[in-house]
Amino acid sequence: MEFDLENPLTDLEDLTSDSVASLFLTESDHMPSHSYFSSLQAGDMDILVRREAIASIAQFLTFRSSFMQFSCNFDPLLSYLAVNYLDRFLSCHLMLQPKQWVIKLLAISCVSLAAKMKKTDISISDFQGDAGIIFDTRTIGRMETLILGALKWRMRSVTPFSFISHFISLFKLQDPPLTQALKAR
Amino acid sequence: MDFRDKFKQLDLGIGTSLSRRPIFKYLDKETGKTIALKRIILRHELLQALPLTGSSNSRQEQPIDVGIPANTIRQISLYRILDHPNIASLEYLGNDPGDHFVRLGFEYVGVDLRKFQKDNAIRSRHPKLIKSLMYQLLSGIAYYHSVNASHGNINPTNVLISNYGDDNNDDEQVNLLITNLDLCVQPSYQAPEILLESNRLSTAVDMFSAGCIFGEMLIGKPVFDTENELGSIFKLLGTPTKQTMRGVIDLDEKLKKYQKHSPKDLSETFIGVEPAGIDLLSKLLCLNPKERIMASEALKHRYFYGIEAKKRVPTPAAAAAAEVGNSSVGPFAAEVGSSSAGPSAAMDSLAAGTSAVVGSPAASASVLVESWIDMVSAALDSSEN
């Protein structure tokens, strides 16, 4: 049950136009609602909440990599996935003036969920200490349940990364190494 | 909405679950669809109390971790995206109030394979029907494997047959669905490597189960014994040796208690089956998981020459989707327009994310700096040595 962010639906090498169409169709299930962006811009919702949560996510992940001494390079897609969950959660649960610890809890749960989806060997206790606030496992579990429910368990997110190989194939490159190099970016 | 408000329990139970509860079908009061429930436990402590057989969920190693088990999340999010004419779709998803388990409602049409064979003893042995059903079964399994997943629990209670009508109906019309309920079934349909307690769940285990089902369709009864499952497997296929099951498992100790058998000629057990069918069966029931045929290869086997993949029966949603794809420029352009706003908008949010990281509070910035210093000093150390 590996989950490949670049290829969430199937593992088939040749993406047919059919499967790209289905990617487009499912993508909207994996995005924050439309009003989310406008309400963020209009300042209806406190943009600081989002900013702070993302900062926490980044903090967890960078702390983790300093702890591990660059022996395991952290997957940048992991943080992207966590932020995707965060945005989708915030877009259906308006949080007005949440407490500091709620934001931290939300961030830590998003990271934990993303890590579980990516099969990253990560232990929450690794970065618990640095966060300043320590949550017990049960609290994190309940927050995870809440997020999973809000996201309707659609955790195999369709993200811009899913489209990369399709768009690259549109260039009709004859040169496989070049394709690989483009993907590597 | 509460589960009891949305669904009405139907009278007839369809079997007993692994935790010995009867499983019922439920009628969705709004859509009129029938579903069957599977419960997935969310708490580690409850999970450990369950017997560790049968269900793919419990058999896999569960690392002790915080919160919801990672396998559960991956499993359910996988069901969320599965979309194939031969795979039962997930119709309902809900937590119980105490968050002890998740209820998964899978579409349930027709009857399971056992009941189908019992009620249609003659028809179910029809070679053409068996071929069509096997093709659908393997297509479903191949789809599972194409998303890097294995089903892990293919057995007759998880194979639903529908649209069969009476004896005069066209065999091509009969539809097969793979579902994933945790029903008790005897004998087990598990591959020998699982019965030998190798804990590795691979896609090959599904292929062996498919072989068991194929054999059962051909002779009208389970291929292997209920009592002595491994013994009867070895009786038919030969007791494995170091050569036939190389590198799979440390066999010596475990095989001591089984009699030595040499493999039998399958065409003596499965009388009257065409040679191509026997060949496919032997490749599915291959003892060594590494040499067992893969689903995508099996579909190309000569036994299936002349059979075509089943087209999806258009459901309202699928029909609407098809319309979007095929219709004139107007709506299609609109569709692409709105969707392409998606990635770019998401890119924006990613950009916002990075800027937030840069502008994050001093605390995390200092962590960044520290980790950078750590890295540099570590690199210097290693270069000096």
Side-chain angles (χ1 to χ4, degrees):
Chain A
M1 276 179 240
E2 297 286 323
F3 165 56
D4 181 359
L5 205 56
E6 282 185 26
N7 212 343
L9 294 182
T10 56
D11 215 28
L12 300 172
E13 274 298 301
D14 50 337
L15 274 172
T16 55
S17 58
D18 222 26
S19 63
V20 173
S22 72
L23 271 181
F24 274 123
L25 278 173
T26 33
E27 191 196 16
S28 55
D29 290 331
H30 301 276
M31 287 194 318
S33 66
H34 276 292
S35 58
Y36 179 65
F37 295 110
S38 51
S39 73
L40 266 184
Q41 277 159 359
D44 290 349
M45 204 193 71
D46 200 348
I47 198 161
L48 289 175
V49 174
R50 179 174 188 272
R51 187 162 291 179
E52 214 160 299
I54 291 176
S56 306
I57 289 178
Q59 187 188 345
F60 295 142
L61 293 179
T62 47
F63 172 71
R64 157 91 178 169
S65 44
S66 77
F67 181 75
M68 295 297 286
Q69 299 267 331
F70 72 90
S71 60
C72 93
N73 249 341
F74 234 5
D75 192 348
L77 298 183
L78 187 66
S79 43
Y80 184 84
L81 202 56
V83 175
N84 173 270
Y85 296 159
L86 173 80
D87 278 334
R88 284 162 62 201
F89 181 79
L90 286 179
S91 86
C92 55
H93 274 252
L94 264 186
M95 300 212 294
L96 294 168
Q97 307 266 309
K99 299 231 163 46
Q100 193 73 23
W101 64 267
V102 178
I103 301 174
K104 286 256 194 262
L105 178 60
L106 179 60
I108 208 169
S109 305
C110 285
V111 172
S112 155
L113 286 171
K116 284 174 182 175
M117 283 305 291
K118 295 288 293 172
K119 259 194 182 159
T120 314
D121 185 24
I122 199 171
S123 154
I124 298 298
S125 49
D126 275 359
F127 43 71
Q128 274 268 46
D130 193 61
I133 309 165
I134 294 175
F135 301 105
D136 69 1
T137 57
R138 191 157 226 171
T139 320
I140 295 178
R142 294 199 56 179
M143 191 68 206
E144 281 183 355
T145 321
L146 201 63
I147 299 174
L148 286 169
L151 269 53
K152 302 196 178 66
W153 290 82
R154 291 181 177 275
M155 310 308 280
R156 287 176 159 246
S157 295
V158 176
T159 62
F161 300 110
S162 321
F163 295 87
I164 291 176
S165 53
H166 170 62
F167 288 128
I168 288 183
S169 75
L170 284 185
F171 294 136
K172 296 209 186 335
L173 295 174
Q174 298 298 321
D175 187 13
L178 188 59
T179 317
Q180 285 307 318
L182 266 175
K183 273 192 182 180
R185 288 185 184 217
Chain B
M1 202 197 312
D2 192 43
F3 180 74
R4 300 279 159 202
D5 296 336
K6 190 167 158 56
F7 293 101
K8 176 174 169 263
Q9 182 178 321
L10 297 177
D11 294 335
L12 215 59
I14 49 174
T16 320
S17 77
L18 291 172
S19 47
R20 306 219 158 67
R21 287 180 318 105
I23 291 196
F24 292 96
K25 290 193 278 187
Y26 294 86
L27 183 72
D28 188 325
K29 289 178 193 167
E30 272 171 44
T31 63
K33 280 189 177 173
T34 312
I35 62 157
L37 278 191
K38 175 195 178 93
R39 299 207 301 179
I40 294 190
I41 310 271
L42 290 182
R43 295 273 178 84
H44 287 286
E45 56 269 27
L46 294 174
L47 210 63
Q48 278 149 11
L50 275 184
L52 283 176
T53 47
S55 138
S56 55
N57 181 35
S58 53
R59 202 196 303 115
Q60 284 181 17
E61 272 178 49
Q62 291 277 2
I64 300 299
D65 200 0
V66 226
I68 296 168
N71 281 336
T72 309
I73 301 176
R74 281 199 292 267
Q75 205 181 356
I76 299 180
S77 58
L78 175 75
Y79 294 144
R80 234 31 200 137
I81 56 137
L82 289 180
D83 177 24
H84 189 273
N86 297 120
I87 293 180
S89 60
L90 183 63
E91 298 283 339
Y92 172 82
L93 186 65
N95 288 17
D96 78 317
D99 287 341
H100 293 286
F101 56 84
V102 193
R103 285 198 185 97
L104 300 181
F106 286 101
E107 130 187 55
Y108 200 99
V109 265
V111 295
D112 73 37
L113 183 62
R114 280 266 167 93
K115 190 164 164 36
F116 174 70
Q117 286 177 320
K118 212 171 127 200
D119 297 351
N120 307 272
I122 298 165
R123 181 147 188 245
S124 61
R125 302 280 297 278
H126 201 278
K128 214 175 138 198
L129 179 66
I130 293 177
K131 195 175 283 195
S132 157
L133 290 180
M134 268 317 281
Y135 192 81
Q136 296 183 51
L137 178 69
L138 290 169
S139 309
I141 295 176
Y143 178 75
Y144 254 96
H145 294 179
S146 76
V147 291
N148 261 338
S150 57
H151 182 288
N153 197 16
I154 303 265
N155 68 51
T157 63
N158 276 337
V159 174
L160 306 179
I161 313 287
S162 62
N163 205 20
Y164 47 88
D166 56 30
D167 286 353
N168 302 322
N169 271 38
D170 189 3
D171 287 340
E172 302 277 312
Q173 297 294 317
V174 182
N175 204 18
L176 178 144
L177 274 185
I178 302 175
T179 181
N180 198 345
L181 305 167
D182 290 330
L183 286 165
C184 264
V185 63
Q186 289 285 336
S188 91
Y189 286 76
Q190 287 172 356
E193 68 269 22
I194 297 288
L195 294 170
L196 283 166
E197 292 166 49
S198 123
N199 259 333
R200 266 175 303 170
L201 196 62
S202 66
T203 52
V205 302
D206 291 340
M207 302 315 291
F208 192 88
S209 310
C212 296
I213 287 183
F214 189 24
E216 183 163 342
M217 288 203 253
L218 292 171
I219 55 173
K221 62 178 184 14
V223 181
F224 301 117
D225 274 357
T226 309
E227 296 292 311
N228 179 5
E229 283 152 354
L230 263 184
S232 62
I233 290 178
F234 296 157
K235 206 169 166 187
L236 181 71
L237 305 170
T239 313
T241 58
K242 277 201 172 129
Q243 280 78 42
T244 54
M245 244 171 132
R246 194 181 311 151
V248 177
I249 192 168
D250 181 26
L251 288 170
D252 286 347
E253 203 47 45
K254 284 177 177 145
L255 286 180
K256 267 182 193 162
K257 53 183 175 193
Y258 296 101
Q259 245 183 308
K260 291 268 178 289
H261 292 285
S262 48
K264 277 192 188 152
D265 186 352
L266 288 178
S267 58
E268 285 169 19
T269 312
F270 301 91
I271 300 157
V273 179
E274 61 179 292
I278 295 289
D279 185 65
L280 176 63
L281 184 64
S282 69
K283 283 177 173 154
L284 289 169
L285 292 179
C286 173
L287 279 178
N288 189 339
K290 290 177 180 163
E291 287 162 18
R292 211 171 288 151
I293 194 168
M294 293 194 297
S296 48
E297 293 169 31
L299 288 172
K300 291 182 200 140
H301 193 274
R302 63 177 197 278
Y303 176 68
F304 294 120
Y305 278 175
I307 286 207
E308 269 181 43
K310 200 134 192 156
K311 296 279 184 295
R312 179 171 264 293
V313 188
T315 57
E323 218 162 83
V324 169
N326 299 331
S327 57
S328 58
V329 185
F332 184 56
E335 176 65 27
V336 170
S338 69
S339 305
S340 64
S344 64
M347 290 287 198
D348 286 349
S349 76
L350 179 63
T354 21
S355 68
V357 171
V358 174
S360 61
S364 84
S366 71
V367 169
L368 263 170
V369 170
E370 274 167 30
S371 71
W372 173 241
I373 291 172
D374 281 351
M375 277 163 68
V376 171
S377 58
L380 284 175
D381 285 351
S382 62
S383 66
E384 276 169 15
N385 298 333

